[in-house]
């Protein structure tokens, strides 16, 4: 059930914590599983550590009809309402609604070097911000890739996330603990 999100209890420094780790793509079952787990942790005042590294929600009409959008909205509400301590570790992709659902309401957000934190996918942002330059080039696909890579390096890194308020700290992977 919800095989692309992992939930577990662990101890950190001798204290019990709930851990939510995201997988490659999240379906409605994954999000429902995570929201129930966070609600359980909140009921017993168990801090929640969320490891965010996902490409996003499953893009399928069937998943939407099965409640994907509703479950994502419920998940955002559960995280926002939870009064327990919430720590988000932005370890990989935290783009768009994924960031909003899993990290925006966290009490402490840690961006790991090499992560991507952005309101839009870098490719999408580059096509909007650099539209004229891209269309003026001879090779549109190559120009889009170059602009997206530059945008990702400048605006979507862990250091940039701290600078624009999307994260509270930028650390190396070995220093997350």
């Amino acid at each position: 059930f919800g095989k692309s999100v992992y939930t577990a209890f662990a101890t950190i420094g001798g204290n019990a914590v709930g851990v939510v780790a995201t997988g490659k793509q999240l379906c409605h079952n994954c999000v429902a599983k995570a929201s129930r787990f966070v609600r359980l942790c909140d009921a017993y005042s168990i801090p929640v550590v969320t490891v965010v590294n996902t490409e996003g929600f499953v893009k399928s009409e069937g998943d939407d009809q099965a409640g994907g959008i509703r479950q994502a909205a419920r998940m955002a509400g559960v995280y926002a309402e939870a009064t327990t301590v919430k720590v988000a570790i932005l370890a990989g992709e935290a783009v768009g609604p994924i960031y909003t659902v899993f990290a925006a309401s966290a009490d402490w957000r840690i961006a790991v070097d090499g992560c991507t934190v952005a309101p839009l996918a870098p490719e999408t942002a580059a096509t909007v911000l650099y539209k004229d330059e891209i269309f003026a080039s001879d090779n549109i696909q190559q120009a889009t890739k170059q602009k997206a890579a530059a945008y990702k390096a400048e605006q979507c890194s862990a250091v940039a996330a701290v600078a624009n308020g999307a994260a509270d700290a930028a650390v190396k992977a070995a220093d997350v603990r």
Side-chain angles (χ1 to χ4, degrees):
F1 181 79
K3 295 178 182 177
S4 196
V5 71
Y6 308 95
T7 57
F9 288 106
T11 58
I12 296 178
N15 297 316
V17 297
V19 178
V20 176
T22 61
K24 187 172 181 163
Q25 285 192 325
L26 303 177
C27 65
H28 67 283
N29 287 332
C30 298
V31 179
K33 176 182 174 180
S35 66
R36 286 195 307 267
F37 184 76
V38 170
R39 194 175 298 126
L40 174 73
C41 291
D42 187 40
Y44 292 99
S45 297
I46 299 170
V48 177
V49 176
T50 306
V51 181
V52 182
N53 181 9
T54 184
E55 294 174 0
F57 297 106
V58 172
K59 295 174 179 84
S60 77
E61 185 179 337
D63 195 66
D64 288 345
Q65 289 178 353
I69 295 171
R70 181 180 63 244
Q71 291 297 340
R74 183 175 292 153
M75 182 75 218
V78 166
Y79 263 90
E81 290 175 351
T83 57
T84 191
V85 175
K86 301 173 296 274
V87 176
I89 300 171
L90 309 171
E93 297 286 323
V95 177
I98 292 297
Y99 175 83
T100 304
V101 169
F102 289 102
S105 63
D107 299 311
W108 186 251
R109 297 163 301 195
I110 302 168
V112 178
D113 285 345
C115 72
T116 301
V117 180
L120 285 174
E123 294 78 19
T124 306
T127 58
V128 172
L129 295 172
Y130 306 110
K131 176 183 171 185
D132 296 335
E133 294 175 37
I134 291 171
F135 286 127
S137 71
D138 294 334
N139 188 341
I140 292 176
Q141 290 179 338
Q142 182 67 21
T144 302
K145 286 181 183 179
Q146 288 174 347
K147 290 294 183 183
Y151 178 82
K152 184 175 180 178
E154 295 170 12
Q155 303 295 325
C156 304
S157 67
V159 174
V162 172
N164 66 28
D168 299 305
V171 298
K172 294 180 177 151
D175 298 333
V176 170
R177 189 182 292 184

